[in-house]
Amino acid sequence: MKKLYSALLLSALALLAAGQSQAAHPAVKRACGQAPAAPGLIDGKSATEQSMRLVAGSVRGFADESLKYLTCLDNQPISTAYMAQPSFRAALAAHREEVADKLEVTVNAYNSQLRSFKSQQAQVAQN
């Protein structure tokens, strides 16, 4: 039952993250570029070792790029005229939170699929 609730929570978070807008303010795009896109994940129960390794590399790359992007947002190399506007600061904070949430959801979903993969491999080894 606990696994079902965890799976439902992960699914809901993934849908929430997918539905959120990744549209950053043009000033943010000029300063930091576009937010990294999350890689596609695979089902750990039916994945091969090679495909899991490829996805692991994609997730690591996404995590690295996301952390660089978040660092850029935190350093705020954006015009002080924009930063003086409370609405811009609020939008920047919301965008940063959105990117951080997408990173967390993606890494958690990958880890869940990795656990499924390892569980499947353990069952195969026992037979």
Side-chain angles (χ1 to χ4, degrees), residues 93-107:
H95 179 67
R96 187 200 186 286
E97 191 67 29
E98 190 177 303
V99 172
D101 288 347
K102 183 171 74 167
L103 172 60
E104 183 178 5
V105 166
T106 302
V107 170

PDB file of all heavy atoms in Angstrom, residues 93-107:
ATOM      1  N   ALA A  93      11.705  34.134  -8.637  1.00  0.00           N
ATOM      2  CA  ALA A  93      11.669  33.145  -7.549  1.00  0.00           C
ATOM      3  C   ALA A  93      10.768  31.970  -7.921  1.00  0.00           C
ATOM      4  O   ALA A  93      11.114  30.809  -7.662  1.00  0.00           O
ATOM      5  CB  ALA A  93      11.193  33.794  -6.255  1.00  0.00           C
ATOM      6  N   ALA A  94       9.637  32.245  -8.531  1.00  0.00           N
ATOM      7  CA  ALA A  94       8.729  31.170  -8.945  1.00  0.00           C
ATOM      8  C   ALA A  94       9.375  30.303 -10.022  1.00  0.00           C
ATOM      9  O   ALA A  94       9.253  29.071  -9.993  1.00  0.00           O
ATOM     10  CB  ALA A  94       7.416  31.757  -9.455  1.00  0.00           C
ATOM     11  N   HIS A  95      10.059  30.928 -10.963  1.00  0.00           N
ATOM     12  CA  HIS A  95      10.735  30.182 -12.027  1.00  0.00           C
ATOM     13  C   HIS A  95      11.838  29.309 -11.435  1.00  0.00           C
ATOM     14  O   HIS A  95      11.989  28.147 -11.805  1.00  0.00           O
ATOM     15  CB  HIS A  95      11.303  31.139 -13.068  1.00  0.00           C
ATOM     16  CG  HIS A  95      12.032  30.456 -14.171  1.00  0.00           C
ATOM     17  ND1 HIS A  95      11.401  29.643 -15.092  1.00  0.00           N
ATOM     18  CD2 HIS A  95      13.346  30.439 -14.501  1.00  0.00           C
ATOM     19  CE1 HIS A  95      12.298  29.161 -15.936  1.00  0.00           C
ATOM     20  NE2 HIS A  95      13.490  29.635 -15.587  1.00  0.00           N
ATOM     21  N   ARG A  96      12.588  29.858 -10.496  1.00  0.00           N
ATOM     22  CA  ARG A  96      13.658  29.093  -9.863  1.00  0.00           C
ATOM     23  C   ARG A  96      13.074  27.875  -9.136  1.00  0.00           C
ATOM     24  O   ARG A  96      13.608  26.770  -9.222  1.00  0.00           O
ATOM     25  CB  ARG A  96      14.422  29.976  -8.874  1.00  0.00           C
ATOM     26  CG  ARG A  96      15.640  29.250  -8.326  1.00  0.00           C
ATOM     27  CD  ARG A  96      16.157  29.826  -7.033  1.00  0.00           C
ATOM     28  NE  ARG A  96      17.381  29.172  -6.654  1.00  0.00           N
ATOM     29  CZ  ARG A  96      17.457  27.938  -6.168  1.00  0.00           C
ATOM     30  NH1 ARG A  96      16.367  27.209  -6.045  1.00  0.00           N
ATOM     31  NH2 ARG A  96      18.614  27.418  -5.827  1.00  0.00           N
ATOM     32  N   GLU A  97      11.993  28.091  -8.419  1.00  0.00           N
ATOM     33  CA  GLU A  97      11.343  26.998  -7.688  1.00  0.00           C
ATOM     34  C   GLU A  97      10.837  25.922  -8.659  1.00  0.00           C
ATOM     35  O   GLU A  97      10.944  24.725  -8.394  1.00  0.00           O
ATOM     36  CB  GLU A  97      10.197  27.557  -6.852  1.00  0.00           C
ATOM     37  CG  GLU A  97       9.638  26.571  -5.857  1.00  0.00           C
ATOM     38  CD  GLU A  97      10.620  26.224  -4.758  1.00  0.00           C
ATOM     39  OE1 GLU A  97      11.475  27.052  -4.401  1.00  0.00           O
ATOM     40  OE2 GLU A  97      10.533  25.098  -4.264  1.00  0.00           O
ATOM     41  N   GLU A  98      10.315  26.358  -9.779  1.00  0.00           N
ATOM     42  CA  GLU A  98       9.809  25.438 -10.806  1.00  0.00           C
ATOM     43  C   GLU A  98      10.939  24.554 -11.353  1.00  0.00           C
ATOM     44  O   GLU A  98      10.780  23.339 -11.504  1.00  0.00           O
ATOM     45  CB  GLU A  98       9.205  26.281 -11.927  1.00  0.00           C
ATOM     46  CG  GLU A  98       8.437  25.535 -12.964  1.00  0.00           C
ATOM     47  CD  GLU A  98       7.837  26.520 -13.954  1.00  0.00           C
ATOM     48  OE1 GLU A  98       7.082  27.418 -13.558  1.00  0.00           O
ATOM     49  OE2 GLU A  98       8.146  26.362 -15.149  1.00  0.00           O
ATOM     50  N   VAL A  99      12.082  25.169 -11.624  1.00  0.00           N
ATOM     51  CA  VAL A  99      13.227  24.422 -12.145  1.00  0.00           C
ATOM     52  C   VAL A  99      13.748  23.449 -11.084  1.00  0.00           C
ATOM     53  O   VAL A  99      14.041  22.288 -11.381  1.00  0.00           O
ATOM     54  CB  VAL A  99      14.348  25.388 -12.614  1.00  0.00           C
ATOM     55  CG1 VAL A  99      15.618  24.639 -12.968  1.00  0.00           C
ATOM     56  CG2 VAL A  99      13.862  26.207 -13.808  1.00  0.00           C
ATOM     57  N   ALA A 100      13.836  23.902  -9.850  1.00  0.00           N
ATOM     58  CA  ALA A 100      14.306  23.039  -8.761  1.00  0.00           C
ATOM     59  C   ALA A 100      13.342  21.869  -8.541  1.00  0.00           C
ATOM     60  O   ALA A 100      13.780  20.733  -8.324  1.00  0.00           O
ATOM     61  CB  ALA A 100      14.467  23.846  -7.482  1.00  0.00           C
ATOM     62  N   ASP A 101      12.041  22.135  -8.620  1.00  0.00           N
ATOM     63  CA  ASP A 101      11.052  21.068  -8.465  1.00  0.00           C
ATOM     64  C   ASP A 101      11.164  20.041  -9.594  1.00  0.00           C
ATOM     65  O   ASP A 101      11.071  18.835  -9.346  1.00  0.00           O
ATOM     66  CB  ASP A 101       9.632  21.636  -8.435  1.00  0.00           C
ATOM     67  CG  ASP A 101       9.313  22.370  -7.140  1.00  0.00           C
ATOM     68  OD1 ASP A 101      10.079  22.234  -6.165  1.00  0.00           O
ATOM     69  OD2 ASP A 101       8.297  23.099  -7.115  1.00  0.00           O
ATOM     70  N   LYS A 102      11.368  20.523 -10.810  1.00  0.00           N
ATOM     71  CA  LYS A 102      11.504  19.603 -11.943  1.00  0.00           C
ATOM     72  C   LYS A 102      12.731  18.719 -11.766  1.00  0.00           C
ATOM     73  O   LYS A 102      12.686  17.519 -12.051  1.00  0.00           O
ATOM     74  CB  LYS A 102      11.576  20.371 -13.261  1.00  0.00           C
ATOM     75  CG  LYS A 102      11.633  19.447 -14.476  1.00  0.00           C
ATOM     76  CD  LYS A 102      11.475  20.180 -15.785  1.00  0.00           C
ATOM     77  CE  LYS A 102      12.705  20.933 -16.143  1.00  0.00           C
ATOM     78  NZ  LYS A 102      12.718  21.412 -17.537  1.00  0.00           N
ATOM     79  N   LEU A 103      13.802  19.285 -11.267  1.00  0.00           N
ATOM     80  CA  LEU A 103      15.011  18.512 -11.003  1.00  0.00           C
ATOM     81  C   LEU A 103      14.734  17.439  -9.958  1.00  0.00           C
ATOM     82  O   LEU A 103      15.072  16.268 -10.147  1.00  0.00           O
ATOM     83  CB  LEU A 103      16.142  19.435 -10.535  1.00  0.00           C
ATOM     84  CG  LEU A 103      17.421  18.765 -10.038  1.00  0.00           C
ATOM     85  CD1 LEU A 103      18.051  17.907 -11.126  1.00  0.00           C
ATOM     86  CD2 LEU A 103      18.396  19.813  -9.527  1.00  0.00           C
ATOM     87  N   GLU A 104      14.097  17.817  -8.887  1.00  0.00           N
ATOM     88  CA  GLU A 104      13.803  16.866  -7.806  1.00  0.00           C
ATOM     89  C   GLU A 104      12.870  15.746  -8.280  1.00  0.00           C
ATOM     90  O   GLU A 104      13.111  14.570  -8.005  1.00  0.00           O
ATOM     91  CB  GLU A 104      13.177  17.598  -6.619  1.00  0.00           C
ATOM     92  CG  GLU A 104      12.916  16.693  -5.440  1.00  0.00           C
ATOM     93  CD  GLU A 104      12.349  17.425  -4.241  1.00  0.00           C
ATOM     94  OE1 GLU A 104      12.065  18.632  -4.330  1.00  0.00           O
ATOM     95  OE2 GLU A 104      12.176  16.773  -3.202  1.00  0.00           O
ATOM     96  N   VAL A 105      11.825  16.107  -8.992  1.00  0.00           N
ATOM     97  CA  VAL A 105      10.877  15.098  -9.489  1.00  0.00           C
ATOM     98  C   VAL A 105      11.572  14.133 -10.444  1.00  0.00           C
ATOM     99  O   VAL A 105      11.371  12.913 -10.366  1.00  0.00           O
ATOM    100  CB  VAL A 105       9.663  15.783 -10.171  1.00  0.00           C
ATOM    101  CG1 VAL A 105       8.850  14.796 -10.986  1.00  0.00           C
ATOM    102  CG2 VAL A 105       8.790  16.457  -9.134  1.00  0.00           C
ATOM    103  N   THR A 106      12.404  14.655 -11.327  1.00  0.00           N
ATOM    104  CA  THR A 106      13.094  13.808 -12.304  1.00  0.00           C
ATOM    105  C   THR A 106      14.056  12.842 -11.624  1.00  0.00           C
ATOM    106  O   THR A 106      14.071  11.647 -11.932  1.00  0.00           O
ATOM    107  CB  THR A 106      13.848  14.674 -13.337  1.00  0.00           C
ATOM    108  OG1 THR A 106      12.899  15.529 -13.977  1.00  0.00           O
ATOM    109  CG2 THR A 106      14.548  13.821 -14.370  1.00  0.00           C
ATOM    110  N   VAL A 107      14.847  13.346 -10.696  1.00  0.00           N
ATOM    111  CA  VAL A 107      15.813  12.490  -9.999  1.00  0.00           C
ATOM    112  C   VAL A 107      15.084  11.445  -9.150  1.00  0.00           C
ATOM    113  O   VAL A 107      15.468  10.269  -9.140  1.00  0.00           O
ATOM    114  CB  VAL A 107      16.789  13.338  -9.153  1.00  0.00           C
ATOM    115  CG1 VAL A 107      17.633  12.468  -8.240  1.00  0.00           C
ATOM    116  CG2 VAL A 107      17.677  14.174 -10.066  1.00  0.00           C
TER     117      VAL A 107
END
